């Protein structure tokens, strides 16, 4: 029988009761593991060339990719150890004494020989190794102050007129270099030499150091372009989306359900593009609003009637990018984001040192804020790669930080100084932004015929899954109840929500397939005014319903409605779903004043008399969305600086002399671009441009719509010149260039003319009671307002 020293048993029991020695033991084991990993770096210390500066050695050890990976592993190990210590410490409560006794009895049964002696031996080894590591680090830090030629002393801060900020940056580093671990990650150790190496090689505030041997910059790997091939198998995409949240499960169900339609659309678009070669882009999708760091209030509400519109759009964006054949990475957490971007550990004070590993990054406002926090200075450098999914849109006046601050447009969102077309909306309500959209299920001819035959003429479904949406709606529901059987899909757990009238048949929250079947029977889909601009009305119209919605008097906006307050737009919303009202309209959509009982009653009776077919706008089909996403990826490049336009003395080579490149269009009050006029490459092509003039107080959005066109901000740079004003025969006493989101424009009364000084402020949405605006309009493809006729 193996015997155990009595003193050892007593000591172990004391460890279990107090846990203080036991914690030391756990920390010791953790530190031993840490030191073991660090000793694996010893070969890197010893393998350096004799001619290299010791300071160079230290920087390379801590800055090399391999060493950084080891340090990340050490960091993760310490985090696990600390969590285990915290768990063990919780056992020290008096209420857990029984568990302590059980654990003590278990150790009595095992009776390991020499436990105390082994602990002491391990501790001694850890101590010896710690001393060795400390000696190595101290030697490296001291040697780091030796310059290339071998003489010792501090590095001198250079005074180079080409780098005027260098001395002040060194002073800042002396005071604040410990404020962020990323500085130590790049080799900063508190010496002036390390500051100068960092400020010259990681950042760009100081000149290169001669003794660092920077004559041969590290060559970057060049990757040959790869072809993007359409995909129809979604298995890999579903794996990337992952699991663990109900929001992700919802998105995966949607991707599976529409997979066949995406496949069909891919084949059609491939034929339409004549199977021409397309470059595969490296794309990161970071869904910021679903990260735990942003609070993720959406995932817990998926099965409780919460909003699903954003998840619908993100699922479709992921599928479109994947089906188009691009190299896709998906992130739903900040940790994943950091890993994909390769950002250094810390608080985001240090920039990325290598090139951005992606051509495009799709994210939202939450994700943009997270990137700012973790990418630091690099975000400004790489923001041209960003595409921001923005449901309600961001107007240029809110996007330009300085202008927004000075003129009262500053909000909690916006002010990112992006090109306004980098914001991508759910509906085409803000032409200053790009229209991304989503898809709705498309029916074939047989399904459409079946729906028309099985419609129940007196059946209505209410658009409102949350009980709070039904408050105060009983008056017009009573009118509707005279003519129709009303169905609801309001979420509840145990009892029927009291806000839902007794005459309403409530089905509870339905899965998507069952909701589709309900809509295929119903004649009417009625909205209560909220939520704004969701996908459900389009799905109802696609299933043969008439959508009845309230008109807003006055229109809702950030000036008069709490929901829009703080959003970076002044857009006025005239109804619950302006797209359905303006782009679809009667007979599929009816917009009336719900407070006028006579008008409401008349609308219900008209709907019962009207026969409608299922209808889905082409731009909300899978093929329509693939077209848009492909065109944006192919033609929108905000990283290439735009050539100044017009260049100096260009009027000398333009046809028409002072009239410039503009010609009067036949049967129109607008101007077009002369076919033989020279200009930098443009997308959309300049052949689509039609220059119109707005009325006072009218935006270019409205002026172009009035002419059956759409405003396109990409054309502003071509009409922001004196030649355009001259061709329009505008009388100007003077032409000034300034930052004003309604310019280019002119005042007829005061004979003032203004050109835009800041390209980021070119705005379709801006308007002024004083000015008439020069508006760059264009045509568009049938059913695809985002693209001109020659844009694909």
């Amino acid at each position: 029988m193996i015997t155990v020293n009595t003193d050892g048993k007593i000591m172990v029991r004391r460890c279990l009761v107090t846990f203080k020695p036991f914690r030391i033991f756990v920390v010791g084991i953790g530190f031993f593991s840490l030191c073991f990993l660090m000793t694996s770096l010893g070969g890197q210390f010893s393998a350096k060339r004799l001619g290299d500066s010791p300071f160079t050695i230290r920087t390379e050890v801590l800055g090399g990719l391999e060493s950084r990976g080891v340090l990340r592993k050490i960091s993760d190990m310490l985090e696990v150890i600390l969590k285990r210590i915290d768990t063990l410490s919780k056992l020290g409560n008096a209420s857990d004494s029984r568990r302590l006794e059980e654990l003590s009895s278990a150790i009595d049964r095992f009776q390991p020989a020499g436990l105390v002696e082994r602990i002491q031996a391990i501790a001694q080894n850890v101590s010896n190794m710690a001393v060795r590591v400390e000696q190595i680090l101290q030697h490296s830090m001291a040697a780091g102050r030796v310059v290339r030629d071998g003489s010792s002393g501090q590095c001198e801060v250079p005074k180079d007129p080409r780098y005027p900020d260098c001395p002040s940056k060194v002073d800042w580093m002396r005071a604040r270099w410990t404020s962020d671990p990323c500085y130590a990650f790049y080799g900063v150790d508190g010496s002036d030499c390390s500051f100068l190496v960092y400020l010259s090689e990681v950042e760009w505030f100081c000149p290169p150091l001669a003794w660092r041997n920077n004559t041969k910059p590290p060559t970057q790997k060049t990757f040959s372009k790869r072809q993007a091939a359409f995909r129809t198998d979604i298995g890999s995409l579903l794996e990337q989306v992952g699991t663990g949240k109900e929001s992700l499960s919802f998105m995966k169900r949607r991707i599976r359900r529409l997979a066949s339609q995406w496949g069909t659309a891919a084949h059609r678009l491939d034929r339409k593009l004549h199977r021409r070669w397309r470059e595969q882009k490296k794309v990161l999708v970071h869904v910021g609003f679903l990260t735990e760091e942003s609070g993720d209030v959406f995932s817990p509400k998926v099965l409780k009637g919460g909003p699903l519109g954003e998840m619908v759009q993100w699922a479709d964006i992921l599928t479109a990018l994947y089906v188009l054949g691009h190299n896709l990475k998906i992130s739903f957490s900040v940790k994943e984001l950091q890993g994909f971007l390769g950002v250094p550990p810390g608080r985001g004070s240090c920039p990325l040192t290598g090139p951005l590993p992606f051509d495009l990054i799709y994210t939202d406002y939450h994700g943009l804020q997270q990137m700012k926090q973790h990418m630091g200075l690099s975000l400004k450098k790489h923001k041209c790669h960003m595409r921001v999914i923005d449901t309600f849109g961001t107007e240029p006046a809110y996007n330009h930080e300085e202008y927004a601050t000075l003129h009262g447009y500053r909000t909690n969102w916006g002010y990112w100084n992006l090109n306004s077309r980098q914001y991508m909306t759910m509906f085409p309500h803000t032409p200053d932004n790009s229209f991304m959209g989503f898809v709705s299920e498309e029916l074939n001819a047989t399904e459409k015929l079946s729906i028309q035959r099985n419609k129940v003429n007196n059946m209505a479904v209410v658009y409102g899954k949350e009980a709070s949406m039904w408050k105060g709606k009983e008056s017009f529901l009573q009118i509707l109840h005279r003519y129709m059987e009303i169905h609801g899909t309001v979420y509840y757990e145990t009892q029927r929500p009291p806000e839902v009238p007794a005459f309403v048949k409530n089905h509870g929250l339905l899965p998507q397939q069952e909701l589709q079947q309900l809509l295929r029977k119903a004649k009417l889909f009625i909205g209560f005014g909220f939520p704004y601009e969701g996908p459900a009305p389009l799905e109802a119209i696609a299933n043969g319903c008439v959508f009845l919605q309230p008109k807003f008097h006055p229109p809702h906006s950030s000036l008069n409605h709490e929901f829009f307050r703080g959003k970076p737009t002044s857009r006025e919303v005239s109804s619950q779903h302006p797209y359905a009202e303006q782009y679809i309209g009667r007979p599929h959509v009816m917009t009336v004043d719900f407070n006028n009982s006579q008008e409401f009653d008349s609308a219900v009776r008209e709907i019962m008399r009207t026969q409608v077919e299922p209808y889905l706008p082409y731009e909300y089909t899978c093929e329509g969305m693939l077209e848009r996403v492909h065109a944006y990826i192919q033609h929108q490049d905000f990283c290439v600086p735009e050539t100044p336009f017009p260049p100096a003395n260009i009027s000398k080579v333009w046809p028409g002399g002072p009239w410039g490149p503009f010609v009067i269009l036949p049967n129109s009050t607008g101007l077009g671009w002369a076919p033989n006029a020279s200009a930098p490459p443009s997308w959309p092509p300049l052949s689509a441009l039609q220059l119109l003039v707005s009325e006072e107080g009218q935006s270019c959005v409205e002026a172009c719509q009035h002419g059956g066109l759409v405003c396109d901000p990409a054309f502003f740079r071509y009409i922001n010149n004196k030649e355009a004003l001259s061709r329009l025969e505008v009388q100007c006493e003077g032409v000034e260039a300034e930052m004003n989101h309604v310019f280019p424009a002119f005042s007829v009364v005061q004979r003032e003319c203004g050109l835009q000084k800041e390209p980021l402020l070119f705005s379709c949405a801006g308007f002024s009671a004083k000015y008439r605006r020069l508006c760059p309009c264009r045509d568009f493809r049938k059913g695809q307002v985002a693209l001109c006729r020659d844009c694909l």
Side-chain angles (χ1 to χ4, degrees):
M1 181 178 180
I2 298 174
T3 61
V4 178
N5 187 292
T6 307
D7 294 337
K9 292 176 65 176
I10 294 171
M11 181 179 175
V12 171
R13 283 179 177 150
R14 284 178 181 171
C15 288
L16 292 169
V17 174
T18 65
F19 272 85
K20 290 179 181 177
F22 193 68
R23 291 182 204 171
I24 294 172
F25 170 72
V26 175
V27 173
I29 293 299
F31 187 67
F32 171 77
S33 302
L34 183 149
C35 292
F36 176 79
L37 286 171
M38 290 187 70
T39 55
S40 68
L41 300 176
Q44 297 183 49
F45 283 100
S46 60
K48 300 298 170 183
R49 297 182 302 273
L50 294 176
D52 284 343
S53 161
F55 182 76
T56 305
I57 292 173
R58 173 167 170 75
T59 305
E60 291 177 357
V61 167
L62 293 181
L65 292 176
E66 183 179 350
S67 303
R68 293 177 197 173
V70 174
L71 290 175
R72 289 184 190 277
K73 292 179 181 178
I74 293 171
S75 176
D76 293 342
M77 177 177 289
L78 286 176
E79 184 177 350
V80 172
I81 291 170
L82 290 173
K83 286 181 179 178
R84 291 181 179 176
I85 291 172
D86 184 59
T87 303
L88 290 169
S89 66
K90 293 176 182 177
L91 293 176
N93 298 328
S95 58
D96 294 322
S97 59
R98 182 176 60 84
R99 274 184 278 179
L100 294 176
E101 290 298 329
E102 291 175 358
L103 196 54
S104 177
S105 299
I107 288 182
D108 284 341
R109 288 196 301 273
F110 284 113
Q111 294 183 340
L115 177 61
V116 177
E117 290 79 3
R118 292 185 183 183
I119 293 175
Q120 290 174 343
I122 291 172
Q124 185 61 46
N125 287 335
V126 167
S127 177
N128 294 337
M129 295 176 69
V131 170
R132 286 184 59 197
V133 171
E134 182 64 22
Q135 289 173 346
I136 292 172
L137 293 178
Q138 286 179 354
H139 172 73
S140 177
M141 290 175 66
R145 297 172 174 85
V146 180
V147 293
R148 186 71 176 179
D149 60 9
S151 62
S152 62
Q154 293 293 325
C155 293
E156 291 186 9
V157 178
K159 295 180 180 179
D160 189 330
R162 295 172 300 172
Y163 299 88
D165 296 325
C166 184
S168 62
K169 289 294 180 181
V170 171
D171 289 339
W172 188 96
M173 291 289 288
R174 286 169 180 158
R176 300 290 304 277
W177 76 273
T178 58
S179 63
D180 194 320
C182 71
Y183 296 117
F185 179 79
Y186 282 122
V188 175
D189 60 10
S191 67
D192 283 358
C193 292
S194 68
F195 298 153
L196 291 172
V197 169
Y198 174 83
L199 291 171
S200 62
E201 297 180 13
V202 179
E203 296 187 17
W204 47 89
F205 294 106
C206 294
L209 303 174
W211 54 269
R212 288 287 293 171
N213 191 21
N214 289 314
T215 55
K216 292 183 179 180
T219 57
Q220 296 179 0
K221 292 182 179 179
T222 56
F223 298 95
S224 59
K225 293 182 178 180
R226 299 184 62 181
Q227 182 176 3
F230 284 100
R231 299 187 185 105
T232 56
D233 183 358
I234 61 167
S236 178
L237 174 62
L238 294 174
E239 288 181 11
Q240 285 195 70
V241 173
T243 58
K245 288 187 176 184
E246 193 54 47
S247 54
L248 303 185
S249 299
F250 171 84
M251 293 167 68
K252 290 170 73 172
R253 288 194 296 270
R254 177 176 178 83
I255 293 170
R256 286 193 194 95
R257 192 175 72 252
L258 296 174
S260 62
Q261 296 202 4
W262 283 110
T264 303
H267 290 303
R268 289 177 183 169
L269 182 58
D270 195 21
R271 288 195 300 269
K272 190 179 294 185
L273 297 175
H274 305 293
R275 294 180 169 81
R276 64 173 174 256
W277 193 90
R278 297 177 299 113
E279 182 184 349
Q280 185 185 67
K281 301 291 186 179
K282 296 185 287 293
V283 181
L284 171 63
V285 177
H286 176 62
V287 189
F289 83 103
L290 289 181
T291 62
E292 295 299 329
E293 291 82 359
S294 70
D296 188 13
V297 297
F298 290 84
S299 296
K301 295 183 179 180
V302 169
L303 299 179
K304 297 183 178 181
L308 301 176
E310 287 83 356
M311 281 169 265
V312 165
Q313 187 181 31
W314 277 109
D316 295 345
I317 291 170
L318 288 172
T319 312
L321 292 169
Y322 179 83
V323 169
L324 285 169
H326 296 293
N327 186 353
L328 187 62
K329 301 294 181 185
I330 307 172
S331 164
F332 291 102
S333 73
V334 169
K335 188 173 183 180
E336 288 177 317
L337 174 67
Q338 290 176 304
F340 284 135
L341 293 177
V343 299
R347 301 184 179 91
S349 304
C350 304
L352 301 178
T353 53
L356 190 72
F358 297 98
D359 299 305
L360 293 167
I361 299 178
Y362 290 83
T363 188
D364 51 25
Y365 268 125
H366 293 285
L368 204 56
Q369 188 64 46
Q370 290 164 354
M371 289 183 196
K372 179 181 179 181
Q373 180 180 353
H374 294 280
M375 291 178 68
L377 296 171
S378 300
L379 181 62
K380 184 177 181 180
K381 178 181 177 182
H382 297 302
K383 67 181 181 181
C384 61
H385 299 276
M386 304 296 170
R387 302 295 184 268
V388 183
I389 307 304
D390 177 19
T391 303
F392 296 101
T394 297
E395 294 176 2
Y398 295 83
N399 170 61
H400 192 282
E401 184 175 17
E402 179 186 352
Y403 189 82
T405 303
L406 292 175
H407 296 85
Y409 293 102
R410 182 81 183 228
T411 67
N412 292 332
W413 310 101
Y415 64 81
W416 287 94
N417 292 326
L418 302 177
N419 187 304
S420 63
R421 286 170 286 159
Q422 289 178 256
Y423 299 101
M424 313 191 91
T425 60
M426 184 173 276
F427 291 95
H429 45 56
T430 307
D432 292 305
N433 306 152
S434 299
F435 163 46
M436 172 59 78
F438 59 95
V439 304
S440 191
E441 192 166 350
E442 192 174 3
L443 305 178
N444 58 39
T446 303
E447 290 171 323
K448 289 180 180 179
L449 184 61
S450 174
I451 286 174
Q452 288 178 275
R453 288 175 177 171
N454 295 313
K455 278 290 178 185
V456 179
N457 202 46
N458 65 338
M459 179 178 172
V461 175
V462 173
Y463 181 21
K465 297 178 293 183
E466 296 184 26
S468 59
M469 297 177 184
W470 293 66
K471 290 181 180 178
K473 306 299 190 297
E474 191 161 354
S475 57
F476 61 80
L477 284 176
Q478 288 283 5
I479 298 174
L480 180 62
H481 181 53
R482 296 177 198 162
Y483 304 99
M484 291 189 170
E485 181 181 88
I486 305 175
H487 295 250
T489 58
V490 184
Y491 169 78
Y492 67 95
E493 293 182 352
T494 55
Q495 296 181 338
R496 178 187 176 92
E499 296 87 350
V500 181
F503 54 77
V504 174
K505 183 178 181 180
N506 185 31
H507 299 263
L509 196 64
L510 293 177
Q512 185 63 27
Q513 288 289 80
E514 294 182 30
L515 178 60
Q516 290 265 19
Q517 295 303 317
L518 191 66
L519 292 174
R520 292 184 179 189
K521 290 182 180 179
K523 181 67 177 289
L524 171 65
F525 188 63
I526 180 171
F528 284 162
F530 187 84
Y532 298 99
E533 299 178 315
L538 263 65
E539 293 177 352
I541 295 167
N543 282 288
C545 295
V546 176
F547 178 50
L548 178 61
Q549 65 169 343
K551 180 179 285 293
F552 298 146
H553 298 289
H556 294 179
S557 73
S558 58
L559 299 177
N560 63 10
H561 202 274
E562 187 62 32
F563 178 82
F564 291 100
R565 192 162 290 123
K567 289 181 170 55
T569 176
S570 299
R571 183 167 62 96
E572 294 185 334
V573 178
S574 59
S575 61
Q576 181 175 358
H577 208 291
Y579 175 87
E581 177 187 6
Q582 297 168 14
Y583 287 87
I584 301 177
R586 290 173 179 261
H588 302 281
V589 180
M590 296 189 66
T591 306
V592 300
D593 182 3
F594 279 25
N595 294 318
N596 186 326
S597 59
Q598 185 175 354
E599 184 179 352
F600 182 84
D601 185 284
S602 176
V604 173
R605 286 187 280 112
E606 181 181 346
I607 289 170
M608 295 187 70
R609 295 192 302 269
T610 304
Q611 298 297 319
V612 296
E613 296 181 3
Y615 173 73
L616 179 64
Y618 174 77
E619 55 200 352
Y620 284 96
T621 64
C622 292
E623 185 178 354
M625 186 169 183
L626 285 179
E627 268 187 10
R628 281 194 307 281
V629 177
H630 160 74
Y632 291 150
I633 292 176
Q634 191 77 13
H635 299 288
Q636 287 186 340
D637 187 349
F638 303 110
C639 296
V640 177
E642 290 185 338
T643 307
F645 187 84
N649 301 321
I650 194 170
S651 59
K652 294 181 180 179
V653 297
W654 270 345
W659 300 122
F662 302 102
V663 295
I664 298 176
L665 295 172
N667 304 318
S668 173
T669 58
L671 303 177
W673 191 266
N676 59 340
S678 61
S682 170
W683 189 84
L686 282 166
S687 58
L689 169 63
Q690 296 188 37
L691 170 55
L692 301 183
V693 177
S694 76
E695 300 297 329
E696 287 91 348
Q698 187 181 45
S699 71
C700 285
V701 176
E702 297 167 316
C704 294
Q705 283 180 345
H706 186 72
L709 305 166
V710 294
C711 180
D712 198 311
F715 287 144
F716 266 117
R717 61 193 294 249
Y718 299 101
I719 67 171
N720 186 47
N721 49 60
K722 295 179 181 179
E723 285 78 10
L725 293 168
S726 299
R727 195 69 180 90
L728 292 167
E729 300 182 0
V730 176
Q731 302 299 314
C732 303
E733 291 186 356
V735 180
E736 299 291 335
E738 63 177 81
M739 289 172 54
N740 188 322
H741 73 290
V742 301
F743 284 178
F746 61 91
S747 171
V748 176
V749 176
Q750 300 182 9
R751 294 194 173 190
E752 293 179 4
C753 298
L755 299 179
Q756 183 57 258
K757 185 179 179 180
E758 172 52 74
L760 290 181
L761 286 174
F762 283 137
S763 172
C764 292
F767 63 91
S768 168
K770 176 181 177 181
Y771 291 105
R772 298 185 68 183
R773 302 196 56 202
L774 275 62
C775 298
C777 309
R778 64 161 170 82
D779 57 30
F780 55 90
R781 297 170 68 87
K782 183 179 180 181
Q784 183 73 290
V785 71
L787 302 179
C788 69
R789 291 170 188 163
D790 297 324
C791 277
L792 193 59

